Amino acid sequence: MGEVISMRSRSEKNKPSYSTFQNVSYLIKNLWRWDKKLFFVAFIQIPIIVAIPLLGIYIPKVVIDSVTRKSSIAALFISLWATVLCMVILNILLNSLRSLSMFKSIAYRMKYSGLITEKTLDTDFENIDGPSGQERIEKACTSVDSNDSATEAIIMVLIELFSNLIGFIVYSKIISKINPLIVMFLVFSSIINYLVGRYVNNYEHRNKANITPIQMKLRYVINWAGDFKAAKDMRLYNMFPWLKEMFSRLKKQKLYYRRKNIYRRCFSNFVDGSLIFLRDGITYGFLIYSVLYRDMPIGDFVLYFGAVSGFSTWLSGIIKNYNSLNSISLDVCDLREYLELEDNKNRKQGDKLPDSYELPLDIELRNLYYKYPGAEDYTIKGINVHIKKGEKIALVGVNGAGKSTLVKIICGLYTPNKGEILINGKNIELYNRDEYYSLISVVFQDIHLLPLSIEKNIALKSAEEISFKEIDRVIKMAGLSRKIDSLEKGKDTLLVKSIYDEAIDLSGGEMQKLMLARALYKNSPIIILDEPTAALDPLAESEIYEKYNELTKGSTSIFISHRLSSTRFCDRILFIGEGNILEEGSHEELMSKGGQYKKMYDMQSYYYKESVGDEKYA
């Protein structure tokens, strides 16, 4: 429970960025822009919802007044028939309109879901990176993930709210004829109800800061447990008890915070029920007193009795709807905060990219510093390096030294806290972000395939835009030809078997080759390879190294590797440690210095020789 308690302080930081009025206006404006038909369908329901119960309390008065006046059966029948027929028609119309609005409300909600997807795909990488970025996405998705979510529920809540407001006004005029103090008393009790409900909604919103990270971890455990790729490890390493314990612990943490919400919601319901009992008891008692001692007609008594009951319903509905709007508004705050996240990178017109005669590119890093959000220390500390046009650089060092972080900074995914990156002498911040991305081809360690054909995974373009001659060239250069030739449909073969039955799954080494082919097809003047041969067998790795000069011809290249023996074909090696460049030079120069590079190289060579020696005597 210690972890649960330690998370409490997070709830105090989570305050709404927009008022309820601002968020409701935002949703209504979007509704008008996106679907005017839904807007009118919702609007038409309001007078019908008010008219139906009004007719309902009017019918008993008609019957009783007719009886007391001894009206004819024909007159009574005509009055009742007309009223009942009107109610039937209105009910049929209301149900039809509700069905239509419910159907169209789903499309309205999905529009926001599309905006979240577009934002996630397009916003600066730093906005969605790390736990804080993922938490933003999780909160935004809560407002669109079900029929009860804020962006769909808003339609029905607004219909009910305006219906309740009109009903409240109409019934107030009816009840005020008895005694205006009754209306004041009913309103006062409802205000108390509203304040209690608002307190509960605000608490639940603050408590979301505790629940969301737990929900993310739960989702990760559930998804990982259902991931077929992990099925072998789970069985062979007996991971089930660990996953079960993790799931149980997270579930307890989630229930701990959910219970806090439930306790306060129960208190709100208790106050609501108590006020209704008190409110109705007093008003009904006054009506009975009026009949017995103030000569109120029975027909009026029935009408007022129904009006008081209806008034309470309208008033409770207003309070309930307003509290619902407050709750919806809090979710919409999360949605808008995500959709309106500002990009730090230049998304406007940027400087012109280098012309072809200026290639290959010169890269200079000047006094670079970078610290991850929330971290105490810098990951990158004052790096200065000049990579010349067409130079082949190797970044080496222990895990966590900052190599991948440095690459992400060069790629423009991270913005340095201090310092600058120059391409041919020009700061990369002057370029349009997306245009700058076109200068770089990268093969990252993490590999993500799309459920498309092999050639579309390489080109990332539609069939009409693909250069098939170029596809064949990069497939051959990446060493994928033999694999593709063995497939019945060749490069038209679909990938990701979990999506298509006829698809195939590539091995780790084959996926790395595919990513290399993708980078080569992009044909950018800067090529960055982050452990591109980690999943390849020694023979395939050797083939890649032999072709490295050809693969990077006409480009400035950066090669990251943990295997120091694989960097000898590079012009210069940068040994990264503790966020800075500790040593640099060619392989021979660094070996002759006898520094940390040599120590690591000798250690790797020692274990390699040991393993080879063991195989001889196996």
PDB file of all heavy atoms in Angstrom, residues 589-606:
ATOM      1  N   GLU A 589      44.005   4.176 -33.751  1.00  0.00           N
ATOM      2  CA  GLU A 589      44.396   5.270 -32.860  1.00  0.00           C
ATOM      3  C   GLU A 589      43.898   5.040 -31.435  1.00  0.00           C
ATOM      4  O   GLU A 589      44.628   5.255 -30.459  1.00  0.00           O
ATOM      5  CB  GLU A 589      43.837   6.595 -33.392  1.00  0.00           C
ATOM      6  CG  GLU A 589      44.534   7.080 -34.664  1.00  0.00           C
ATOM      7  CD  GLU A 589      43.834   8.266 -35.292  1.00  0.00           C
ATOM      8  OE1 GLU A 589      42.659   8.534 -34.921  1.00  0.00           O
ATOM      9  OE2 GLU A 589      44.446   8.930 -36.157  1.00  0.00           O
ATOM     10  N   LEU A 590      42.669   4.581 -31.310  1.00  0.00           N
ATOM     11  CA  LEU A 590      42.102   4.357 -29.976  1.00  0.00           C
ATOM     12  C   LEU A 590      42.763   3.168 -29.288  1.00  0.00           C
ATOM     13  O   LEU A 590      42.963   3.182 -28.059  1.00  0.00           O
ATOM     14  CB  LEU A 590      40.586   4.132 -30.075  1.00  0.00           C
ATOM     15  CG  LEU A 590      39.755   5.345 -30.523  1.00  0.00           C
ATOM     16  CD1 LEU A 590      38.277   4.984 -30.619  1.00  0.00           C
ATOM     17  CD2 LEU A 590      39.937   6.517 -29.564  1.00  0.00           C
ATOM     18  N   MET A 591      43.126   2.163 -30.070  1.00  0.00           N
ATOM     19  CA  MET A 591      43.814   1.003 -29.479  1.00  0.00           C
ATOM     20  C   MET A 591      45.193   1.418 -28.976  1.00  0.00           C
ATOM     21  O   MET A 591      45.650   0.970 -27.916  1.00  0.00           O
ATOM     22  CB  MET A 591      43.932  -0.117 -30.503  1.00  0.00           C
ATOM     23  CG  MET A 591      42.596  -0.793 -30.846  1.00  0.00           C
ATOM     24  SD  MET A 591      41.835  -1.633 -29.452  1.00  0.00           S
ATOM     25  CE  MET A 591      42.952  -3.020 -29.245  1.00  0.00           C
ATOM     26  N   SER A 592      45.856   2.287 -29.728  1.00  0.00           N
ATOM     27  CA  SER A 592      47.201   2.706 -29.328  1.00  0.00           C
ATOM     28  C   SER A 592      47.181   3.607 -28.089  1.00  0.00           C
ATOM     29  O   SER A 592      48.143   3.660 -27.332  1.00  0.00           O
ATOM     30  CB  SER A 592      47.890   3.438 -30.479  1.00  0.00           C
ATOM     31  OG  SER A 592      47.202   4.643 -30.775  1.00  0.00           O
ATOM     32  N   LYS A 593      46.056   4.304 -27.847  1.00  0.00           N
ATOM     33  CA  LYS A 593      45.945   5.163 -26.664  1.00  0.00           C
ATOM     34  C   LYS A 593      45.838   4.349 -25.381  1.00  0.00           C
ATOM     35  O   LYS A 593      46.162   4.848 -24.300  1.00  0.00           O
ATOM     36  CB  LYS A 593      44.712   6.068 -26.793  1.00  0.00           C
ATOM     37  CG  LYS A 593      44.882   7.210 -27.796  1.00  0.00           C
ATOM     38  CD  LYS A 593      43.608   8.067 -27.834  1.00  0.00           C
ATOM     39  CE  LYS A 593      43.761   9.194 -28.841  1.00  0.00           C
ATOM     40  NZ  LYS A 593      42.536  10.027 -28.923  1.00  0.00           N
ATOM     41  N   GLY A 594      45.312   3.135 -25.503  1.00  0.00           N
ATOM     42  CA  GLY A 594      45.179   2.284 -24.325  1.00  0.00           C
ATOM     43  C   GLY A 594      44.158   2.777 -23.319  1.00  0.00           C
ATOM     44  O   GLY A 594      44.271   2.512 -22.116  1.00  0.00           O
ATOM     45  N   GLY A 595      43.120   3.464 -23.788  1.00  0.00           N
ATOM     46  CA  GLY A 595      42.086   3.999 -22.899  1.00  0.00           C
ATOM     47  C   GLY A 595      40.910   3.044 -22.724  1.00  0.00           C
ATOM     48  O   GLY A 595      41.042   1.819 -22.823  1.00  0.00           O
ATOM     49  N   GLN A 596      39.741   3.636 -22.478  1.00  0.00           N
ATOM     50  CA  GLN A 596      38.557   2.827 -22.184  1.00  0.00           C
ATOM     51  C   GLN A 596      38.102   2.031 -23.396  1.00  0.00           C
ATOM     52  O   GLN A 596      37.571   0.923 -23.256  1.00  0.00           O
ATOM     53  CB  GLN A 596      37.418   3.735 -21.686  1.00  0.00           C
ATOM     54  CG  GLN A 596      37.722   4.391 -20.349  1.00  0.00           C
ATOM     55  CD  GLN A 596      36.503   5.081 -19.775  1.00  0.00           C
ATOM     56  OE1 GLN A 596      35.403   4.547 -19.778  1.00  0.00           O
ATOM     57  NE2 GLN A 596      36.698   6.299 -19.261  1.00  0.00           N
ATOM     58  N   TYR A 597      38.274   2.587 -24.588  1.00  0.00           N
ATOM     59  CA  TYR A 597      37.906   1.849 -25.792  1.00  0.00           C
ATOM     60  C   TYR A 597      38.708   0.548 -25.876  1.00  0.00           C
ATOM     61  O   TYR A 597      38.148  -0.526 -26.131  1.00  0.00           O
ATOM     62  CB  TYR A 597      38.169   2.703 -27.034  1.00  0.00           C
ATOM     63  CG  TYR A 597      37.895   1.985 -28.340  1.00  0.00           C
ATOM     64  CD1 TYR A 597      36.624   1.957 -28.890  1.00  0.00           C
ATOM     65  CD2 TYR A 597      38.928   1.331 -29.037  1.00  0.00           C
ATOM     66  CE1 TYR A 597      36.369   1.302 -30.091  1.00  0.00           C
ATOM     67  CE2 TYR A 597      38.686   0.670 -30.228  1.00  0.00           C
ATOM     68  CZ  TYR A 597      37.404   0.659 -30.754  1.00  0.00           C
ATOM     69  OH  TYR A 597      37.156   0.001 -31.935  1.00  0.00           O
ATOM     70  N   LYS A 598      40.012   0.634 -25.668  1.00  0.00           N
ATOM     71  CA  LYS A 598      40.874  -0.559 -25.742  1.00  0.00           C
ATOM     72  C   LYS A 598      40.456  -1.576 -24.675  1.00  0.00           C
ATOM     73  O   LYS A 598      40.405  -2.785 -24.935  1.00  0.00           O
ATOM     74  CB  LYS A 598      42.335  -0.189 -25.584  1.00  0.00           C
ATOM     75  CG  LYS A 598      43.297  -1.382 -25.724  1.00  0.00           C
ATOM     76  CD  LYS A 598      44.737  -0.964 -25.593  1.00  0.00           C
ATOM     77  CE  LYS A 598      45.675  -2.124 -25.900  1.00  0.00           C
ATOM     78  NZ  LYS A 598      45.411  -3.321 -25.076  1.00  0.00           N
ATOM     79  N   LYS A 599      40.168  -1.095 -23.459  1.00  0.00           N
ATOM     80  CA  LYS A 599      39.757  -2.013 -22.387  1.00  0.00           C
ATOM     81  C   LYS A 599      38.487  -2.762 -22.772  1.00  0.00           C
ATOM     82  O   LYS A 599      38.382  -3.975 -22.587  1.00  0.00           O
ATOM     83  CB  LYS A 599      39.529  -1.237 -21.093  1.00  0.00           C
ATOM     84  CG  LYS A 599      40.812  -0.708 -20.456  1.00  0.00           C
ATOM     85  CD  LYS A 599      40.485   0.062 -19.176  1.00  0.00           C
ATOM     86  CE  LYS A 599      41.760   0.637 -18.553  1.00  0.00           C
ATOM     87  NZ  LYS A 599      41.467   1.436 -17.333  1.00  0.00           N
ATOM     88  N   MET A 600      37.516  -2.035 -23.316  1.00  0.00           N
ATOM     89  CA  MET A 600      36.261  -2.681 -23.706  1.00  0.00           C
ATOM     90  C   MET A 600      36.494  -3.631 -24.881  1.00  0.00           C
ATOM     91  O   MET A 600      35.941  -4.741 -24.923  1.00  0.00           O
ATOM     92  CB  MET A 600      35.205  -1.631 -24.062  1.00  0.00           C
ATOM     93  CG  MET A 600      33.849  -2.236 -24.418  1.00  0.00           C
ATOM     94  SD  MET A 600      32.595  -0.988 -24.757  1.00  0.00           S
ATOM     95  CE  MET A 600      32.275  -0.411 -23.094  1.00  0.00           C
ATOM     96  N   TYR A 601      37.311  -3.213 -25.824  1.00  0.00           N
ATOM     97  CA  TYR A 601      37.607  -4.065 -26.983  1.00  0.00           C
ATOM     98  C   TYR A 601      38.306  -5.354 -26.545  1.00  0.00           C
ATOM     99  O   TYR A 601      37.941  -6.450 -26.979  1.00  0.00           O
ATOM    100  CB  TYR A 601      38.482  -3.310 -27.983  1.00  0.00           C
ATOM    101  CG  TYR A 601      38.762  -4.094 -29.243  1.00  0.00           C
ATOM    102  CD1 TYR A 601      37.879  -4.055 -30.307  1.00  0.00           C
ATOM    103  CD2 TYR A 601      39.922  -4.884 -29.360  1.00  0.00           C
ATOM    104  CE1 TYR A 601      38.132  -4.782 -31.466  1.00  0.00           C
ATOM    105  CE2 TYR A 601      40.175  -5.615 -30.509  1.00  0.00           C
ATOM    106  CZ  TYR A 601      39.280  -5.565 -31.559  1.00  0.00           C
ATOM    107  OH  TYR A 601      39.512  -6.288 -32.692  1.00  0.00           O
ATOM    108  N   ASP A 602      39.292  -5.224 -25.676  1.00  0.00           N
ATOM    109  CA  ASP A 602      40.018  -6.394 -25.188  1.00  0.00           C
ATOM    110  C   ASP A 602      39.102  -7.326 -24.414  1.00  0.00           C
ATOM    111  O   ASP A 602      39.197  -8.557 -24.519  1.00  0.00           O
ATOM    112  CB  ASP A 602      41.192  -5.968 -24.305  1.00  0.00           C
ATOM    113  CG  ASP A 602      42.310  -5.295 -25.101  1.00  0.00           C
ATOM    114  OD1 ASP A 602      42.335  -5.489 -26.335  1.00  0.00           O
ATOM    115  OD2 ASP A 602      43.137  -4.601 -24.485  1.00  0.00           O
ATOM    116  N   MET A 603      38.193  -6.758 -23.636  1.00  0.00           N
ATOM    117  CA  MET A 603      37.265  -7.574 -22.860  1.00  0.00           C
ATOM    118  C   MET A 603      36.332  -8.345 -23.778  1.00  0.00           C
ATOM    119  O   MET A 603      36.100  -9.547 -23.596  1.00  0.00           O
ATOM    120  CB  MET A 603      36.455  -6.688 -21.907  1.00  0.00           C
ATOM    121  CG  MET A 603      35.580  -7.462 -20.933  1.00  0.00           C
ATOM    122  SD  MET A 603      34.726  -6.367 -19.792  1.00  0.00           S
ATOM    123  CE  MET A 603      36.128  -5.706 -18.877  1.00  0.00           C
ATOM    124  N   GLN A 604      35.806  -7.657 -24.801  1.00  0.00           N
ATOM    125  CA  GLN A 604      34.926  -8.345 -25.750  1.00  0.00           C
ATOM    126  C   GLN A 604      35.700  -9.421 -26.509  1.00  0.00           C
ATOM    127  O   GLN A 604      35.193 -10.528 -26.713  1.00  0.00           O
ATOM    128  CB  GLN A 604      34.310  -7.334 -26.726  1.00  0.00           C
ATOM    129  CG  GLN A 604      33.269  -6.430 -26.108  1.00  0.00           C
ATOM    130  CD  GLN A 604      32.585  -5.549 -27.137  1.00  0.00           C
ATOM    131  OE1 GLN A 604      32.854  -5.642 -28.348  1.00  0.00           O
ATOM    132  NE2 GLN A 604      31.696  -4.678 -26.665  1.00  0.00           N
ATOM    133  N   SER A 605      36.928  -9.119 -26.904  1.00  0.00           N
ATOM    134  CA  SER A 605      37.749 -10.101 -27.620  1.00  0.00           C
ATOM    135  C   SER A 605      38.032 -11.307 -26.733  1.00  0.00           C
ATOM    136  O   SER A 605      38.017 -12.462 -27.186  1.00  0.00           O
ATOM    137  CB  SER A 605      39.064  -9.460 -28.063  1.00  0.00           C
ATOM    138  OG  SER A 605      38.829  -8.384 -28.921  1.00  0.00           O
ATOM    139  N   TYR A 606      38.276 -11.060 -25.441  1.00  0.00           N
ATOM    140  CA  TYR A 606      38.588 -12.139 -24.500  1.00  0.00           C
ATOM    141  C   TYR A 606      37.412 -13.112 -24.407  1.00  0.00           C
ATOM    142  O   TYR A 606      37.591 -14.339 -24.518  1.00  0.00           O
ATOM    143  CB  TYR A 606      38.900 -11.551 -23.125  1.00  0.00           C
ATOM    144  CG  TYR A 606      39.025 -12.590 -22.033  1.00  0.00           C
ATOM    145  CD1 TYR A 606      40.180 -13.363 -21.899  1.00  0.00           C
ATOM    146  CD2 TYR A 606      37.965 -12.806 -21.149  1.00  0.00           C
ATOM    147  CE1 TYR A 606      40.280 -14.321 -20.897  1.00  0.00           C
ATOM    148  CE2 TYR A 606      38.053 -13.762 -20.153  1.00  0.00           C
ATOM    149  CZ  TYR A 606      39.216 -14.517 -20.020  1.00  0.00           C
ATOM    150  OH  TYR A 606      39.317 -15.462 -19.039  1.00  0.00           O
TER     151      TYR A 606
END
